[in-house]
Amino acid sequence: MALPVPEWRGFAARRWAALDPALRERLAAASLHDMVRLGCDTLWTEEAEEEAALPRLCRRASTDKAAAAAGALRERGNREFGRGRYRAALGLYCKVCLEDIARAESHGCPDRLLPKVLLRKAECLLCLGRLQDAADALSVVESKIHMDGLMTSPTHQTLLKKLSQLKVKIHKKERCPEPAPEACGDMQGKSEIWEENDSISGASSSVSLNFDTERGRHLVASQNIMPGQRLLKEEAFVSVLCPGESLPLQDSETAWDTRVTNADLYCHRCLRQLLASVPCQGCSYAKYCSQDCADVAWQQYHRTECSLGALLLTLGVFCHVALRTVLLAGFAEVNRLVKWCHSADKDPHNPKARVTCPGEAPDAGAGTRSIPGCNDTGQYQSSYQAVFHLLPHTEQHNPEHKFLCMLSVVVICKHLQEAGLHTAVLNQESSDRSSKPKTSEKSSDELSPELKTVAEAMLRHVLQLQCNAQAITVMQELGPGDGAVVNTKPVRLATALFPVLSLLNHSCCPNTSVSFCGTAATVRASQPIPRGQEIFHCYDQALRILLKCQMDAGNFLSPEHLLMGEMEDHLAQVYATLGKWQEAARHLKKSIEIVEIHHGPTSEEIGHELFKLAQILFNGFAVSEALSTIQRAEEILSMHCGPQSAQIQELQEMKTCLSELPRSIFQRT
């Protein structure tokens, strides 16, 4: 959820309505600096309602660790096992077991039981795919058994046998590792010719950065661009994993949320898919793909966020992104740019009427040096300076919405101060996990000047996100995934800020498509782009679908309506499940015709539909038609997703398999 929970939005609306009209006018016209000052000086004199409401809302999203959660996980594992979902059950059982083992070790497990406990730990780690951790646990077991010197007892003989069996299993897994679910990293770039832009980090040399008062900063083609050509590859400056669609309720079947959401399936730092998670030691929410990711996250931001988990889940992803942005930037950089903003009494986004930003050359003259966000050498980098210069459109936001955002960021800063976390935010505290924050002696209704600066920067970022937030999406399978035809859809995984990607203006008919791998975004041309043409990106695919439906509103459920296409697609899935491949192909072809009318013959949507059709034709042994469909799907998906995407790999495997069939089958199909 991007915005705070409805109850908090309702509380903010009541506070706004209760304000004196003159104060509402002042807040509506105030700068970000004045909004924060007024919020701190005026709005927190009567806090009884807030002090009662917010903790109650936060309890619904508790992220504290508790031993009682193990029972709920065990019960969920039993249910998954009964339904035949063995992999899900295994993950839940192992999670419980590892939690139990950790408690046994921390509470002084007797020496005579330690080898058995460690063997169980190694077995769990092995099942979860954490081979190195499992091997380390076995080394401790082996050392412990040898130190005891009782190698002849039946108990130790049993332990040695179990130890030997586990070592064999680890050896086999190391020799034949399972393929990574998202092995898309650097492989994609190795097969493509790429010349990086000297002025725009992560961008191709075929684009250039321009500025005018009507379009602001934007990218244009500096040479003719071909479909499928990579234009940009950028790591997010900041990203926050989106939680589940709803928060766990205390009056539900169990007080513990045992549902599996994206927060359980992906690393909270790098967004890689998790086979086995490394949980945060301090909270039950954050999970990582490795100890390295956990350590980096703790060092950069999680040491501050850890105890605020429930509050951040309550106040929404935008507030979380805003906090993490200032934590990643560091207080010195935040303070430098906020102070510059106070001194820039002219429009900072008009290069002809603006003071020089720190890091920029004074009166640098023509070229990219005069474009907001560029450094003193004229380079536009994926940096906090570039993030800070993204437009917040302060004057265009509804005053009540700005009030809600201000209220939320001030609440976060108050909690930082009251919990003694402000020293970490201001980079004045050691990152040692063992160090505990000291409670602030400052009164709860008075923020320190430094935290007011942090609140102002956070408010700026929350407002920026309305137009500059990028949804990082992944393709997820629909249904159990054990059918002959895999049906997928894009799912929002995280919310991120990409300073360079944000330079692309919106169009409902874009000439690019964006794909994601972890926290990296790749932009490709989806059609020929002649030199001098602006490069566009569709900010929201759902918006495109909505606009298409609105155009069809006068002819609802016509043969060409998108809903008719969805119905044909569902019928195709039903027939495919029954093994009636010809019927499935017939209905899916009707769906493809409708999708092509709405999205175009070379759109990414058509590519995904053709991928499904190829699977149906492959399973129905319609060899010739399957091969031609595979070729068309390859061409379109390569253009949008790159030649190393998972779907391209599967299409190539199908093509290889079909090509090896006897020629007589080709003649019959």
Side-chain angles (χ1 to χ4, degrees):
M1 187 183 295
L3 297 176
V5 296
E7 293 89 342
W8 179 252
R9 297 203 298 270
F11 167 77
R14 291 192 298 274
R15 290 296 299 270
W16 173 258
L19 291 178
D20 182 80
L23 182 55
R24 282 207 301 267
E25 257 187 64
R26 288 178 64 193
L27 284 167
S31 65
L32 300 182
H33 172 71
D34 290 338
M35 279 196 75
V36 171
R37 182 180 57 80
L38 286 169
C40 294
D41 294 346
T42 308
L43 301 176
W44 294 102
T45 54
E46 298 179 5
E47 299 177 336
E49 187 181 357
E50 179 270 336
E51 287 180 353
L54 198 56
R56 175 176 53 81
L57 294 174
C58 289
R59 281 196 296 273
R60 295 173 53 184
S62 177
T63 59
D64 295 336
K65 285 187 176 289
L73 291 167
R74 234 183 242 109
E75 290 176 11
R76 176 64 185 269
N78 292 338
R79 289 198 295 271
E80 295 296 322
F81 186 86
R83 294 169 184 164
R85 299 171 182 171
Y86 302 120
R87 189 173 184 84
L90 176 65
L92 288 163
Y93 286 146
C94 290
K95 187 176 178 181
V96 174
C97 191
L98 286 174
E99 291 285 348
D100 289 342
I101 290 167
R103 282 194 294 274
E105 291 180 301
S106 64
H107 287 83
C109 176
D111 283 351
R112 61 185 177 81
L113 297 179
L114 189 58
K116 186 176 180 179
V117 171
L118 289 172
L119 275 175
R120 183 176 295 176
K121 178 179 182 179
E123 196 160 12
C124 290
L125 291 167
L126 179 62
C127 289
L128 290 171
R130 289 163 59 177
L131 301 186
Q132 186 57 54
D133 290 339
D136 292 343
L138 287 182
S139 297
V140 176
V141 176
E142 202 165 17
S143 174
K144 180 65 180 169
I145 291 175
H146 284 291
M147 283 176 62
D148 284 350
L150 298 175
M151 305 298 294
T152 57
S153 71
T155 302
H156 282 76
Q157 290 297 322
T158 303
L159 288 173
L160 283 172
K161 184 177 180 180
K162 188 73 172 177
L163 177 64
S164 178
Q165 291 172 345
L166 286 174
K167 289 173 78 173
V168 169
K169 286 182 181 179
I170 290 176
H171 182 64
K172 285 182 178 179
K173 279 186 172 280
E174 286 175 338
R175 289 182 61 188
C176 304
E178 294 181 7
E182 293 184 19
C184 58
D186 297 331
M187 292 175 60
Q188 191 163 305
K190 291 180 181 177
S191 60
E192 300 179 74
I193 299 173
W194 172 259
E195 184 179 346
E196 189 162 353
N197 197 300
D198 292 333
S199 301
I200 311 167
S201 64
S204 163
S205 58
S206 58
V207 304
S208 60
L209 175 59
N210 285 15
F211 181 93
D212 61 46
T213 53
E214 182 181 348
R215 293 175 292 178
R217 292 168 294 183
H218 59 280
L219 296 180
V220 297
S222 57
Q223 60 189 52
N224 293 334
I225 295 171
M226 299 298 294
Q229 187 173 332
R230 180 153 60 98
L231 306 180
L232 172 67
K233 185 169 183 180
E234 181 184 18
E235 281 286 338
F237 179 84
V238 60
S239 64
V240 171
L241 190 70
C242 294
E245 292 184 0
S246 59
L247 296 174
L249 300 177
Q250 291 292 337
D251 55 357
S252 61
E253 179 185 354
T254 173
W256 311 106
D257 185 18
T258 59
R259 293 166 298 175
V260 177
T261 66
N262 282 339
D264 304 300
L265 299 176
Y266 294 88
C267 177
H268 286 223
R269 177 179 172 267
C270 69
L271 304 183
R272 287 192 179 92
Q273 195 167 358
L274 295 175
L275 175 62
S277 63
V278 176
C280 170
Q281 296 176 7
C283 70
S284 62
Y285 182 66
K287 302 172 185 69
Y288 304 97
C289 62
S290 65
Q291 190 60 51
D292 285 344
C293 257
D295 291 342
V296 172
W298 183 266
Q299 170 70 27
Q300 291 182 339
Y301 51 80
H302 193 62
R303 60 181 166 135
T304 303
E305 296 177 357
C306 186
S307 62
L308 300 179
L311 177 66
L312 295 173
L313 287 171
T314 300
L315 296 181
V317 171
F318 278 8
C319 283
H320 196 166
V321 173
L323 173 62
R324 189 171 293 182
T325 300
V326 300
L327 293 174
L328 287 168
F331 178 73
E333 182 71 356
V334 171
N335 187 48
R336 180 176 73 91
L337 286 168
V338 168
K339 282 186 175 179
W340 165 79
C341 197
H342 294 167
S343 66
D345 53 355
K346 297 180 180 179
D347 180 8
H349 297 283
N350 181 355
K352 294 182 179 179
R354 57 186 277 268
V355 298
T356 303
C357 173
E360 297 179 21
D363 205 10
T368 56
R369 284 194 180 100
S370 61
I371 296 178
C374 292
N375 62 18
D376 56 356
T377 62
Q379 292 179 316
Y380 188 92
Q381 297 177 324
S382 187
S383 63
Y384 183 67
Q385 180 166 306
V387 170
F388 192 85
H389 277 83
L390 296 176
L391 290 173
H393 296 291
T394 308
E395 68 288 348
Q396 296 179 22
H397 286 284
N398 180 288
E400 187 175 334
H401 174 72
K402 286 193 291 186
F403 179 78
L404 167 67
C405 297
M406 182 274 295
L407 209 60
S408 300
V409 300
V410 169
V411 163
I412 292 173
C413 289
K414 281 186 61 186
H415 277 72
L416 290 172
Q417 182 163 282
E418 290 168 1
L421 293 167
H422 57 291
T423 52
V425 176
L426 306 180
N427 306 119
Q428 297 170 351
E429 186 186 75
S430 168
S431 61
D432 186 0
R433 291 174 188 260
S434 61
S435 60
K436 295 184 178 180
K438 298 179 181 179
T439 304
S440 175
E441 296 179 358
K442 191 173 281 290
S443 60
S444 61
D445 59 349
E446 182 187 353
L447 284 182
S448 68
E450 294 84 3
L451 281 179
K452 286 181 181 178
T453 298
V454 170
E456 181 180 340
M458 286 179 61
L459 179 56
R460 181 186 186 90
H461 298 320
V462 171
L463 297 178
Q464 285 173 334
L465 284 162
Q466 298 291 328
C467 290
N468 293 286
Q470 176 64 55
I472 295 180
T473 59
V474 292
M475 298 300 295
Q476 285 189 352
E477 294 181 6
L478 301 178
D482 53 2
V485 178
V486 177
N487 194 19
T488 60
K489 72 169 183 178
V491 173
R492 188 187 192 102
L493 178 61
T495 298
L497 279 173
F498 293 88
V500 181
L501 178 57
S502 293
L503 294 172
L504 272 62
N505 283 325
H506 168 76
S507 171
C508 287
C509 299
N511 48 20
T512 64
S513 62
V514 182
S515 59
F516 299 94
C517 178
T519 55
T522 300
V523 179
R524 296 178 183 279
S526 58
Q527 61 190 52
I529 305 175
R531 180 180 178 182
Q533 187 177 98
E534 184 173 355
I535 297 168
F536 292 105
H537 162 47
C538 181
Y539 288 173
D540 193 341
Q541 294 295 327
L543 175 63
R544 292 177 65 188
I545 295 172
L546 176 63
L547 291 172
K548 293 290 185 183
C549 289
Q550 286 176 340
M551 287 189 289
D552 284 341
N555 191 18
F556 184 65
L557 288 185
S558 69
E560 296 178 354
H561 195 278
L562 277 171
L563 288 177
M564 294 299 293
E566 290 183 18
M567 290 169 60
E568 295 289 351
D569 189 275
H570 288 309
L571 283 170
Q573 292 177 44
V574 170
Y575 281 113
T577 303
L578 297 172
K580 297 182 178 181
W581 305 111
Q582 288 185 347
E583 284 296 308
R586 183 170 66 83
H587 285 285
L588 189 55
K589 286 175 184 176
K590 290 182 181 178
S591 173
I592 290 173
E593 289 174 3
I594 296 170
V595 171
E596 187 168 328
I597 290 170
H598 288 273
H599 296 287
T602 59
S603 64
E604 186 176 359
E605 290 83 358
I606 280 290
H608 292 308
E609 292 299 305
L610 288 171
F611 175 72
K612 288 191 287 187
L613 179 60
Q615 294 175 82
I616 288 173
L617 296 170
F618 176 87
N619 285 288
F621 281 94
V623 180
S624 298
E625 192 177 1
L627 286 171
S628 61
T629 303
I630 287 170
Q631 182 176 350
R632 187 183 171 198
E634 269 192 286
E635 291 171 356
I636 294 172
L637 290 174
S638 292
M639 181 170 65
H640 291 282
C641 307
Q644 299 297 332
S645 70
Q647 288 183 323
I648 294 293
Q649 300 301 312
E650 189 167 342
L651 288 167
Q652 290 174 349
E653 289 174 7
M654 285 192 285
K655 182 166 61 176
T656 300
C657 184
L658 292 173
S659 300
E660 293 173 351
L661 292 173
R663 301 298 300 176
S664 57
I665 296 181
F666 283 73
Q667 295 169 0
R668 293 201 302 269
T669 59

